[in-house]
């Protein structure tokens, strides 16, 4: 279950974060497209305002922002992520998520409270899925003791924390802990939210690329508990 209150992580001092945020908040607004911002925000159910920068252009700007900055450590990653999450426009969070994806190897299990804050603050699939697959996944792979953290997240009240637990093994392939994957799917099989039911099906469909027989057997045995959406997604590539 979710703790009654999640403390907001402290933003540490970081010279790298100072440099990055100074550059970022200068070049991103210069590339803003208000018309695109409105249409993209509507597509994302107006979860947050946007600048309206197309993804290819945004990534090119991000490369320019990071030019010559060197490799970060965990403190830098924490400061950059939290400071980006404090800014209103969604593109700053995309920058932070991409930055963490690239440098997750610099982070340890001590980053988990920060990750949870990022996952559960103004959440939507556009940020949560990157964090689940490309940040939570590698962190757990590097520190297997964090599996028990994912066990707790799978039982959480916050649907985006649950989705993170369901998706964190999405790129594990033969390293997937199938018992955990299937256990999480059964645990949340009755969840009423679309994003959980979709995540169950997505995680199973991805693992089916590695072990289709196991996924088929699991779905056949749990069909009376899984939502139709989850079943369709799980078996989409199995015929």
């Amino acid at each position: 279950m979710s703790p009654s209150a999640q403390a907001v992580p402290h933003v540490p001092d970081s010279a790298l974060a100072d440099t990055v945020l100074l550059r970022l908040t200068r070049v991103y607004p210069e590339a803003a497209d208000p018309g695109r911002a409105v249409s993209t925000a509507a597509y994302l159910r107006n979860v947050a305002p946007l600048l309206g920068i197309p993804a290819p252009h945004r990534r090119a700007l991000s490369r320019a922002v990071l030019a010559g900055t060197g490799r970060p450590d965990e403190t830098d990653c924490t400061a950059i992520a939290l400071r980006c999450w404090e800014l209103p426009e969604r593109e700053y969070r995309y920058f932070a998520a991409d930055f963490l994806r690239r440098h997750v190897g610099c982070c340890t299990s001590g980053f988990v409270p920060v990750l949870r804050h990022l996952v559960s603050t103004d959440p939507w699939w556009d940020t949560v899925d990157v964090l689940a697959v490309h940040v939570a996944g590698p962190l757990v792979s590097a520190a297997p003791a964090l599996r028990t953290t994912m066990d707790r997240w799978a039982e959480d009240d916050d649907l985006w924390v649950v989705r993170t637990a369901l998706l964190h093994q999405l790129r594990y392939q033969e390293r997937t802990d199938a018992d955990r994957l299937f256990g999480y799917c059964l645990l949340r099989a009755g969840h009423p939210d679309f994003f959980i039911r979709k995540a169950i099906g997505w995680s199973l469909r991805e693992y089916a690329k590695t072990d289709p027989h196991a996924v088929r057997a699991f779905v056949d045995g749990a069909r009376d508990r899984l939502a139709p959406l989850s079943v369709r997604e799980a078996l989409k590539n199995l015929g």
Side-chain angles (χ1 to χ4, degrees):
M1 303 295 288
S2 297
S4 57
Q6 291 289 328
V8 177
H10 170 69
V11 181
D13 292 333
S14 164
L16 176 60
D18 291 342
T19 297
V20 167
L21 268 294
L22 181 64
R23 295 179 180 180
L24 192 63
T25 54
R26 183 180 69 248
V27 303
Y28 267 24
E30 291 175 352
D33 181 336
R36 178 183 286 272
V38 170
S39 61
T40 306
Y43 170 68
L44 295 174
R45 306 289 181 87
N46 294 303
V47 67
L50 287 99
L51 294 167
I53 309 172
H57 187 30
R58 174 175 56 80
R59 293 191 177 105
L61 292 173
S62 298
R63 288 192 293 272
V65 164
L66 293 171
T69 56
R71 185 171 176 81
D73 59 19
E74 185 169 329
T75 296
D76 298 322
C77 290
T78 297
I80 288 171
L82 292 177
R83 288 176 64 176
C84 284
W85 243 252
E86 290 174 347
L87 298 171
E89 291 85 8
R90 204 68 170 176
E91 284 88 351
Y92 295 112
R93 299 189 182 189
Y94 297 161
F95 174 89
D98 287 345
F99 186 85
L100 293 176
R101 176 177 180 171
R102 180 179 179 183
H103 296 294
V104 64
C106 301
C107 298
T108 68
S109 58
F111 190 76
V112 168
V114 177
L115 176 61
R116 185 188 169 102
H117 174 75
L118 304 181
V119 165
S120 58
T121 302
D122 301 324
W124 201 241
W125 61 265
D126 58 333
T127 54
V128 170
D129 291 359
V130 175
L131 295 171
V133 179
H134 300 292
V135 182
L139 284 175
V140 175
S141 182
L146 290 178
R147 293 171 183 167
T148 58
T149 299
M150 291 296 104
D151 293 347
R152 292 192 296 273
W153 285 23
E155 298 185 32
D156 206 88
D157 291 334
D158 186 319
L159 75 89
W160 298 102
V161 173
V162 175
R163 184 171 169 100
T164 300
L166 284 164
L167 296 180
H168 84 276
Q169 296 193 85
L170 204 69
R171 296 292 181 264
Y172 278 22
Q173 298 177 325
E174 69 280 351
R175 296 182 293 110
T176 300
D177 183 335
D179 289 340
R180 265 195 167 80
L181 171 62
F182 296 154
Y184 291 177
C185 291
L186 287 177
L187 177 67
R188 306 319 304 236
H191 199 287
D193 193 272
F194 166 85
F195 285 103
I196 297 302
R197 296 182 175 195
K198 183 81 170 182
I200 289 171
W202 184 15
S203 62
L204 292 171
R205 184 177 79 240
E206 194 66 24
Y207 184 51
K209 297 175 182 177
T210 298
D211 194 340
H213 300 295
V215 171
R216 170 73 74 178
F218 170 74
V219 172
D220 287 347
R223 195 180 290 266
D224 61 335
R225 297 175 60 181
L226 295 170
L229 171 62
S230 300
V231 172
R232 288 197 304 273
E233 288 294 319
L235 302 181
K236 183 175 288 186
N237 298 325
L238 296 183

